[in-house]
Amino acid sequence: LCPPGVLPLCCRPPAWDRATRPPPRPLQPPGLPLTPCRSFSNNKIQVELNESSGVAMMKFKSPPVNSLSLEFLTEFSISLEKLENNRACRGVIITSAVPKIFSSGLDITEMCGKSMEHYTEFWRAVQELWLRLYGSSMVTVAAVNGSSPAGGCLVALSCDYRIMAENPKFSIGLNEAQLGIVAPFWFKDTFVNVVGHRIAERSLQLGSLHPAPEAHKLGLVDELVPEEKLMEKAAAVMAQWLALPDHARQLTKTMMRKAVLDRLVAHREEDIKNFITFVSKESIQKSLRMYMEMLKKRKS
Ligand code: CO8
């Protein structure tokens, strides 16, 4: 059984097996009045769907750092499900409304000093979000307009295409090792599928956070653009991807991602148990507390 607020994966067809969508519609012709956007918002995320172009804009708006708390993860999954179930939506651009930060990754306070029940619920929500995003039949483009460590990087890696603001102060990577924790196998699989085994192996062991230009060189992000051009570029990339028939693209995506998705589905409960065992260790709790203190000290 899934906890309240978390979408039960077993009760619906997996997103990557969904029926094909209607054929692509042309983008809004110039000169015509813009079709009004359908928008829905929750505490953490704002979504606007342009039904004419079939493109949704999803903005994280959970200051100060868009950390992926249980509430955030649940709202993220629900927003994706709403879009996935809306036949007018064919693609989603994911970005942040918080200046300089895409997402600071999993909310560390959710992993510190909490009950087993809480860890179970939290980790199931992390898994659920990844299964939905990585398995989405929509075109997903990450417009990375700020720093994006760990879980924030996973969100970007799970999209079909990543465009990052050309700012060397913004970094991205799976830095779990720096916190004294280990990235789960499906974080690793997603990373390997983007950058290849060797780069992933070195970057994961060192817990590297790569400044934007280095991330581009490694293939962690597909393109760098000046910050002010980011959304324009994301829209252009989306239009390029949507120019193809949905069914061929979706089946190809399934072919490329299914094995990795199936691996977590098959080992979901075991993965939750591993997380709880790992995060409950006093040594891990100590590492996480020290890391949070370090963040606070760095600030003062
Ligand atoms: N979780 C909770 N709180 C956070 C997080 C976070 N991930 N990141 C930052 N905060 C808090 C800070 O403590 C600070 O709190 P306060 O205002 O109370 O002092 C506040 O957010 C603002 O942070 P900063 O002052 O540091 O903001 P900056 O704009 O200077 O920097 C950064 C933003 C770059 C995002 C910086 O905060 C940072 O580096 N954060 C840590 C990011 C990180 O390492 N995340 C990893 C999380 S772990 C994860 O995602 C995967 C775990 C996999 C689990 C493995 C199994 C055990």
Side-chain angles (χ1 to χ4, degrees):
L1 274 181
C2 285
V6 176
L7 307 155
L9 190 75
C10 53
C11 302
R12 55 179 166 70
W16 59 97
D17 266 354
R18 290 176 74 241
T20 53
R21 289 165 185 280
R25 287 174 304 276
L27 293 174
Q28 182 93 25
L32 285 183
L34 284 174
T35 310
C37 284
R38 185 179 292 254
S39 62
F40 56 93
S41 216
N42 51 47
N43 283 339
K44 309 280 179 187
I45 296 170
Q46 178 195 325
V47 183
E48 282 192 355
L49 168 63
N50 182 322
E51 292 192 332
S52 157
S53 65
V55 178
M57 179 70 67
M58 183 183 280
K59 282 189 181 167
F60 300 155
K61 50 158 187 116
S62 181
V65 289
N66 288 332
S67 64
L68 306 174
S69 61
L70 179 59
E71 188 188 350
F72 191 113
L73 290 161
T74 306
E75 293 192 347
F76 196 173
S77 283
I78 290 171
S79 300
L80 282 175
E81 187 188 33
K82 277 190 191 164
L83 294 176
E84 198 81 51
N85 289 338
N86 186 334
R87 290 180 65 81
C89 182
R90 300 176 58 219
V92 55
I93 296 171
I94 299 177
T95 193
S96 165
V98 175
K100 301 190 180 100
I101 310 285
F102 181 70
S103 163
S104 71
L106 300 190
D107 191 318
I108 299 168
T109 61
E110 301 276 15
M111 300 188 279
C112 278
K114 299 282 196 298
S115 66
M116 301 290 172
E117 290 72 26
H118 184 87
Y119 293 145
T120 305
E121 189 179 4
F122 178 64
W123 199 246
R124 202 180 286 283
V126 181
Q127 293 177 330
E128 184 65 32
L129 187 266
W130 178 77
L131 289 169
R132 273 201 179 282
L133 184 57
Y134 200 60
S136 174
S137 61
M138 299 179 286
V139 173
T140 50
V141 172
V144 184
N145 53 349
S147 290
S148 194
C153 175
L154 182 76
V155 169
L157 288 171
S158 303
C159 292
D160 295 310
Y161 200 83
R162 285 153 290 285
I163 308 162
M164 190 164 182
E166 200 172 41
N167 183 338
K169 287 192 182 145
F170 299 163
S171 60
I172 182 165
L174 293 180
N175 62 323
E176 280 80 355
Q178 282 191 36
L179 284 74
I181 57 179
V182 181
F185 70 87
W186 40 286
F187 282 48
K188 178 268 295 173
D189 287 344
T190 314
F191 198 23
V192 168
N193 281 356
V194 172
V195 297
H197 197 278
R198 175 60 192 141
I199 290 170
E201 181 182 325
R202 189 178 54 195
S203 183
L204 277 171
Q205 286 196 52
L206 294 173
S208 305
L209 283 174
H210 305 285
E214 189 178 295
H216 182 231
K217 228 193 261 169
L218 295 175
L220 210 170
V221 294
D222 297 295
E223 269 185 83
L224 289 188
V225 293
E227 211 164 337
E228 65 280 6
K229 298 256 190 251
L230 191 60
M231 298 322 295
E232 189 188 312
K233 185 70 202 181
V237 166
M238 181 60 81
Q240 189 192 1
W241 282 61
L242 290 184
L244 274 87
D246 283 341
H247 68 278
R249 183 193 50 72
Q250 287 164 349
L251 289 172
T252 308
K253 184 168 177 177
T254 301
M255 178 174 72
M256 298 303 293
R257 298 191 172 192
K258 192 171 185 302
V260 166
L261 286 158
D262 283 352
R263 198 164 159 219
L264 177 61
V265 172
H267 298 284
R268 211 169 163 180
E269 298 311 314
E270 194 185 327
D271 183 60
I272 293 173
K273 274 192 200 132
N274 286 343
F275 172 74
I276 296 174
T277 308
F278 188 72
V279 88
S280 308
K281 285 191 174 125
E282 190 37 46
S283 57
I284 300 302
Q285 287 290 308
K286 197 173 158 195
S287 294
L288 292 175
R289 282 195 302 268
M290 280 167 60
Y291 189 75
M292 285 301 278
E293 276 162 28
M294 180 278 289
L295 285 178
K296 283 190 196 310
K297 268 193 202 136
R298 201 187 54 164
K299 202 172 166 184
S300 53

